[in-house]
């Protein structure tokens, strides 16, 4: 990053102002003393006309360091640009209400409900939320977890979140007899054009982070197939409306109401991640 900056004849203060950070922190990031984070790297990559090279280098290093340290998936999710998640049995954990999270934790045999419930949230870095593509089986929408009131409030929160521009919801109708997601949840996290990892939930304990390119591509293909088997966004929102007994609404709006995800991220000014693309093209991965 320093080499690219010096080649462009810019000083640390110039890029620090553009990235809304201090020149001291920017210099420490250049020297490898601090993790710059995705937002700062994206700003530097854009302003130095690096065409993704800086972002790719940062993502490769970030994934390698934290994977070797067996860092919890929350840390990866906080810096991801796109997250695509499939859940066959429950509402995606990113959007759990506290009551729903407790009910899920209490239902898990032999689990510590308090510690498990604390894991059911998605914490974002200060540059804002990643784009979320949520694929949910209708079974999860229709299942009562805890009580009817708990489930009803959870569905309302899901509905509210699905109105946000960075969230896209796709429901696989229960009338769909064949689709490849009958076994387990699946998730991919994308950091740049060429850096994607996968995450596999386990029934008990933490899940497994997957960085091997071939296996990651399998997860990308699986999630693309699941999204293809799911209903479009408008039809998914209509199905969710039916489940909670509300009138049909537009699938995605800019909206003026409160963001249901707001408690999980700070509102630092910066370019938000672009909305998730519904294209079914394969995500590109490269060795980490």
């Amino acid at each position: 990053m320093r080499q690219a900056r010096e080649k462009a004849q810019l000083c640390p203060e110039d890029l620090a102002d553009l990235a809304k950070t201090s020149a001291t922190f920017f210099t420490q990031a250049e020297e490898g003393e601090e993790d710059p984070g995705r937002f700062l790297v994206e700003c530097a990559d854009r302003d130095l006309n690096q065409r993704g090279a800086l972002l790719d280098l940062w993502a490769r290093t970030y994934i390698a360091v934290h994977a070797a340290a067996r860092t919890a998936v929350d840390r990866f999710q906080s810096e991801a640009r796109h997250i695509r998640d499939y859940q066959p049995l429950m509402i995606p954990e990113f959007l759990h209400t506290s009551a729903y999270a407790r009910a899920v934790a209490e239902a898990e045999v032999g689990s510590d409900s308090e510690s498990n419930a604390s894991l059911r949230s998605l914490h974002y870095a200060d540059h804002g939320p990643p784009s979320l593509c949520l694929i949910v089986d209708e079974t999860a929408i229709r299942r009562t977890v805890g009580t009817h009131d708990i489930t009803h409030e959870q569905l309302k929160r899901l509905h509210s979140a699905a109105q946000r521009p960075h969230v896209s919801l796709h429901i696989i109708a229960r009338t769909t007899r064949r689709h490849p997601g009958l076994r387990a949840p699946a998730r991919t996290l994308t950091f740049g054009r060429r850096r994607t990892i996968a995450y596999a939930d386990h029934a008990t304990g933490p899940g497994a982070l997957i960085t091997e390119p071939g296996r990651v591509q399998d997860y990308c293909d699986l999630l693309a197939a699941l999204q293809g088997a799911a209903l479009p966004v408008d039809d998914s929102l209509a199905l969710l409306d039916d489940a909670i007994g509300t009138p049909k609404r537009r699938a995605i709006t800019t909206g003026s109401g409160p963001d249901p995800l707001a408690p999980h991220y700070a509102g630092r000014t910066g370019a938000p991640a672009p909305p998730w693309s519904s294209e079914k093209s394969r995500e590109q991965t490269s060795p980490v």
Side-chain angles (χ1 to χ4, degrees):
M1 188 159 63
R2 182 177 61 187
Q3 292 175 348
R5 174 182 60 76
E6 291 175 345
K7 185 177 180 180
Q9 298 182 338
L10 295 173
C11 63
E13 289 78 8
D14 295 329
L15 290 178
D17 288 341
L18 293 171
K20 296 180 174 58
T21 189
S22 68
T24 299
F25 180 80
F26 191 91
T27 301
Q28 291 173 332
E30 282 190 334
E31 297 297 330
E33 298 174 3
E34 295 284 351
D35 176 12
R38 177 174 60 81
F39 178 71
L40 189 152
V41 175
E42 283 183 331
C43 290
D45 191 282
R46 180 191 65 236
D47 297 328
L48 296 174
N49 194 31
Q50 292 298 294
R51 301 181 179 180
L54 286 180
L55 180 60
D56 182 64
L57 178 61
W58 168 81
R60 182 177 62 186
T61 303
Y62 183 88
I63 292 169
V65 168
H66 289 287
R70 298 183 181 275
T71 303
V73 69
D74 302 52
R75 183 70 178 270
F76 291 95
Q77 290 170 168
S78 70
E79 288 289 358
R81 189 172 187 179
H82 306 296
I83 297 177
R84 189 186 281 188
D85 183 77
Y86 166 67
Q87 290 294 332
L89 299 175
M90 67 178 182
I91 304 301
E93 63 184 7
F94 310 131
L95 301 175
H96 283 183
T97 63
S98 57
Y100 189 92
R102 285 193 298 270
V104 169
E106 290 168 359
E108 294 175 342
V109 178
S111 68
D112 181 340
S113 61
E114 290 300 320
S115 62
N116 279 5
S118 68
L119 300 176
R120 309 290 183 179
S121 60
L122 173 61
H123 298 281
Y124 304 134
D126 56 5
H127 47 68
S131 61
L132 298 176
C133 177
L134 305 177
I135 308 166
V136 185
D137 194 283
E138 186 180 354
T139 302
I141 305 299
R142 302 292 183 181
R143 171 178 284 107
T144 298
V145 174
T147 67
H148 172 78
D149 289 343
I150 288 175
T151 303
H152 188 258
E153 287 303 310
Q154 177 61 75
L155 293 181
K156 286 170 61 179
R157 185 169 194 233
L158 176 61
H159 190 282
S160 180
Q163 308 297 316
R164 309 308 299 181
H166 60 276
V167 178
S168 119
L169 174 66
H170 301 269
I171 298 176
I172 299 178
R174 56 188 175 186
T175 54
T176 304
R177 295 187 177 183
R178 297 182 61 185
H179 68 78
L182 298 176
R183 290 180 179 272
R187 186 181 311 162
T188 55
L189 301 88
T190 299
F191 297 84
R193 294 179 181 177
R194 293 179 291 175
R195 299 293 165 185
T196 297
I197 60 176
Y199 180 75
D201 279 316
H202 287 171
T204 59
L209 195 69
I210 299 166
T211 60
E212 194 279 314
R215 293 189 62 200
V216 171
Q217 189 61 60
D218 289 341
Y219 273 82
C220 292
D221 293 342
L222 170 64
L223 286 164
L226 287 167
Q227 186 174 345
L231 297 171
V233 171
D234 288 329
D235 293 342
S236 295
L237 264 292
L239 190 154
L240 184 56
D241 283 329
D242 177 70
I244 61 180
T246 57
K248 291 184 179 180
R249 301 181 185 180
R250 292 179 61 188
I252 297 179
T253 69
T254 54
S256 58
D259 186 344
L261 303 177
H264 300 299
Y265 65 88
R268 179 174 126 178
T269 303
W276 181 267
S277 171
S278 61
E279 295 178 356
K280 300 181 180 60
S281 59
R282 293 171 54 151
E283 297 174 73
Q284 297 300 313
T285 62
S286 61
V288 175

